């Protein structure tokens, strides 16, 4: 009992000694965060001031716990700490940075407390008991406060995202609907240049997908795609949730920067079932509407095609069919009409279709086709000849139709092929 009383006395004396240095300790911790968590300190003056107030109030609360033997499980997080967490949520600062700040601060203050304890407690055994008590109590306090500020962060993040998304969606819909809007004000509110160059896309998860946080995943994809231009050029995309599994996105990419192949590689590396429909690059407010309309048409076709189509479809690939209709039976009938037996859904005919598609895409060059397909030139010639023999119409008479039909087979797969 005497040792317990002595420990409480020593702890109170240590806390009292540190309480006289709160301003100094606050400055030390802010300096620590500047080195370890610079994004918390390299901010505007009001946020740094709120960070300092949060640190000071947390220190004051912790020291009062030790000076007056308060149960840390009954302590509420300081007002400045709760408000700082809410502000970080509004700015999208990762919550992990906030939590790490608490544990960095805990370690730094315990080191100061240990220095004071060495001065006050001479017996090593008593010193060990004293510091064990300090560590346990501090951990309980930090655990309680971090749980409270994390709840405040998550609640504010949800409210902020909901409000921001609602305002953003309303402004975007007004532009898409052709309403008379102040373009300058809309650009400022959206953080996106409507009068610039765009590539519109629709990104979504199919019904069978079960991502943990769909919209967060789609927004992450949008930012990666925004930097997909040549030499990493591009910028922040405009991201508008459509529902919990789908988003409308505009990438600030010019036609010269747009590379559908790069976008497809980025999407497929995610390996989480995301699907993307792309419009053509366009300029200005009218282009903003047009590229989005094209992406919606391609999405309709992709949804009708189902799981068998490619995860990324572009308007340049399937636009002709998408403009005519998203009626897959009609598209399937047309493909069969153009390709004849070549539209059979089996490995043999797939090889012939792919060879003919690459041959036409390379300008009818057997040599270039062989390089793309990693085949001998004679094998390419043989397959092209066999494919032409199966066409319902001579290639020379319907070359454009054949190219489009082959492209649809390549992108939509079994959705437009004939099965035995």
């Amino acid at each position: 009992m005497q040792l317990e009383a002595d420990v409480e006395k020593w702890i109170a004396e240590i806390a009292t000694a540190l309480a006289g240095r709160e301003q100094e300790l606050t400055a030390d911790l802010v300096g620590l965060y500047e080195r370890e968590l610079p994004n918390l300190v390299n901010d505007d003056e009001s946020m740094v001031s709120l960070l300092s107030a949060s640190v000071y109030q947390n220190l004051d609360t912790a020291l009062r716990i030790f000076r007056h033997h308060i149960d840390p499980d009954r302590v509420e997080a300081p007002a400045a700490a709760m408000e700082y967490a809410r502000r970080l949520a509004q700015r999208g600062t990762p919550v992990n940075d906030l939590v790490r700040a608490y544990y960095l601060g805990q370690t730094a203050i315990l080191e100061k407390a240990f220095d004071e304890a060495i001065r006050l407690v001479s017996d090593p055994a008593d010193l060990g008991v004293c510091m064990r008590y300090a560590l346990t109590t501090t951990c309980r306090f930090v655990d309680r406060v971090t749980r409270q500020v994390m709840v405040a962060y998550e609640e504010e993040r949800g409210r902020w995202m909901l409000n921001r998304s609602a305002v953003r969606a309303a402004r975007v819909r007004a532009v898409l609907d052709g309403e008379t809007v102040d373009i300058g004000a809309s650009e400022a509110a959206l953080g996106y240049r409507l009068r610039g160059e765009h590539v519109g896309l629709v990104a979504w998860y199919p019904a069978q997908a079960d991502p943990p946080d769909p919209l967060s995943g789609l927004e992450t994809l949008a930012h990666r795609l925004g930097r997909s231009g040549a030499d990493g050029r591009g910028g922040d995309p405009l991201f508008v949730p459509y529902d919990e599994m789908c988003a409308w996105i505009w990438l600030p990419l010019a036609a010269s920067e747009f590379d559908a192949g790069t976008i497809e590689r980025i999407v497929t590396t995610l390996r989480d079932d995301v699907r993307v429909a792309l419009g053509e690059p366009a300029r200005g407010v009218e282009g903003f509407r047009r590229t989005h309309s094209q992406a919606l048409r391609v999405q309709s076709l992709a949804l009708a095609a189902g799981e068998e189509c490619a995860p990324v479809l572009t308007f340049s690939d399937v636009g002709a069919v998408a403009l005519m209709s998203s009626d897959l039976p009609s598209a399937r009938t047309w493909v069969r009409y153009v390709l004849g037996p070549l539209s059979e859904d089996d490995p043999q005919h797939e090889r012939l279709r792919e060879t003919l598609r690459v041959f036409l895409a390379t300008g009818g060059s057997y040599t270039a086709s062989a390089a793309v397909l990693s085949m001998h030139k004679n094998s390419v010639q043989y397959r092209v000849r066999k494919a032409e023999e199966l066409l319902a119409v001579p290639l020379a008479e319907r070359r454009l139709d054949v190219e489009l039909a082959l492209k649809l087979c390549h992108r939509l797969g079994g959705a437009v092929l004939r099965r035995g």
Side-chain angles (χ1 to χ4, degrees):
M1 293 294 292
Q2 182 59 46
L3 178 59
E4 183 177 340
D6 288 341
V7 167
E8 290 183 351
K9 171 177 168 293
W10 290 327
I11 288 292
E13 290 182 11
I14 293 170
T16 300
L18 293 178
R21 300 167 54 192
E22 284 177 333
Q23 294 286 358
E24 171 199 335
L25 295 175
T26 297
D28 288 346
L29 288 185
V30 172
L32 173 65
Y33 299 149
E34 186 173 14
R35 295 189 300 274
E36 300 293 334
L37 297 166
N39 56 319
L40 296 185
V41 180
N42 296 338
D43 209 328
D44 63 61
E45 185 178 344
S46 64
M47 282 296 288
V48 176
S49 175
L50 188 55
L51 169 62
S52 296
S54 173
V55 171
Y56 184 91
Q57 290 184 11
N58 273 311
L59 274 172
D60 181 67
T61 302
L63 294 176
R64 287 177 187 275
I65 287 173
F66 289 113
R67 291 167 67 189
H68 304 293
H69 316 301
I70 299 171
D71 182 355
D73 293 332
R74 300 175 62 86
V75 170
E76 300 299 318
M82 298 290 279
E83 182 59 24
Y84 184 65
R86 295 187 188 100
R87 298 279 187 90
L88 291 181
Q90 294 171 7
R91 291 162 179 257
T93 302
V95 71
N96 288 344
D97 287 351
L98 177 60
V99 174
R100 185 165 178 241
Y102 274 89
Y103 286 102
L104 284 173
Q106 173 186 321
T107 301
I109 297 304
L110 282 173
E111 288 179 356
K112 301 288 186 182
F114 188 68
D115 291 339
E116 290 292 333
I118 292 174
R119 184 177 61 83
L120 290 171
V121 185
S122 57
D123 183 81
D126 291 345
L127 179 63
V129 174
C130 186
M131 292 313 299
R132 186 178 297 112
Y133 176 88
L135 176 62
T136 301
T137 304
T138 304
C139 286
R140 289 170 60 198
F141 167 70
V142 170
D143 179 66
R144 178 166 176 80
V145 171
T146 53
R147 281 189 280 119
Q148 292 181 43
V149 297
M150 284 178 67
V151 169
Y153 178 99
E154 295 297 343
E155 289 179 349
E156 183 64 23
R157 186 66 179 160
R159 282 194 297 268
W160 183 262
M161 292 298 292
L162 182 63
N163 292 338
R164 188 183 69 171
S165 295
V167 171
R168 177 176 289 182
R171 284 190 176 270
V172 167
R173 288 181 184 277
V175 174
L176 293 175
D177 292 341
E179 297 179 14
T180 302
V181 296
D182 184 331
I183 298 300
S186 294
E187 288 181 331
L190 295 171
Y192 183 86
R193 190 164 179 266
L194 297 170
R195 289 168 286 196
E197 297 179 283
H198 332 273
V199 175
L201 63 92
V202 180
W204 74 98
Y205 287 98
Q208 71 274 13
D210 187 26
D213 188 351
L215 287 179
S216 178
L218 294 177
E219 188 165 17
T220 298
L221 171 65
H223 282 278
R224 289 185 63 184
L225 295 180
R227 301 292 179 181
S228 64
D231 300 323
R233 296 173 64 186
D236 291 334
L238 175 59
F239 180 87
V240 180
Y242 178 71
D243 60 29
E244 63 180 2
M245 299 286 278
C246 177
W248 295 349
I249 302 166
W250 285 262
L251 307 178
L253 295 176
S256 60
E257 300 168 338
F258 173 61
D259 182 359
T262 298
I263 288 178
E264 185 166 3
R265 284 192 295 274
I266 292 173
V267 172
T268 53
T269 56
L270 294 177
R271 298 180 182 177
D272 63 352
D273 298 324
V274 70
R275 315 302 288 271
V276 171
L278 288 155
E280 291 282 272
R283 177 186 288 275
V285 177
E286 186 54 42
F288 180 86
R289 299 186 183 110
R290 183 171 64 254
T291 188
H292 174 68
S293 176
Q294 291 170 347
L296 288 178
R297 287 183 177 273
V298 174
Q299 184 201 23
S300 295
L301 188 62
L303 292 174
E307 298 179 24
E308 296 187 66
C309 73
V312 177
L313 290 181
T314 69
F315 190 76
S316 62
D317 281 339
V318 299
V321 173
L323 284 173
M324 291 186 290
S325 173
S326 60
D327 177 11
L328 259 294
S330 296
R332 190 180 303 115
T333 299
W334 182 78
V335 167
R336 292 175 182 175
Y337 166 71
V338 173
L339 298 185
L342 192 59
S343 64
E344 292 287 342
D345 187 11
D346 60 49
Q348 176 187 352
H349 289 89
E350 181 181 1
R351 286 192 293 269
L352 295 178
R353 283 194 304 272
E354 181 65 6
T355 303
L356 182 58
R357 185 186 70 83
V358 172
F359 175 72
L360 294 175
T362 56
S365 169
Y366 292 110
T367 302
S369 300
V372 171
L373 296 168
S374 299
M375 293 170 53
H376 193 278
K377 178 180 176 181
N378 291 343
S379 298
V380 173
Q381 290 176 321
Y382 172 78
R383 286 190 185 180
V384 169
R385 185 175 69 253
K386 294 295 292 184
E388 288 191 79
E389 291 173 358
L390 293 173
L391 290 174
V393 292
L395 178 60
E397 295 180 14
R398 301 284 296 277
R399 181 183 175 111
L400 290 178
D401 284 349
V402 170
E403 285 193 75
L404 176 57
L406 290 170
K407 186 176 289 188
L408 289 177
C409 293
H410 178 64
R411 305 305 290 178
L412 301 182
V416 293
L417 293 173
R418 180 168 59 185
R419 293 174 178 172

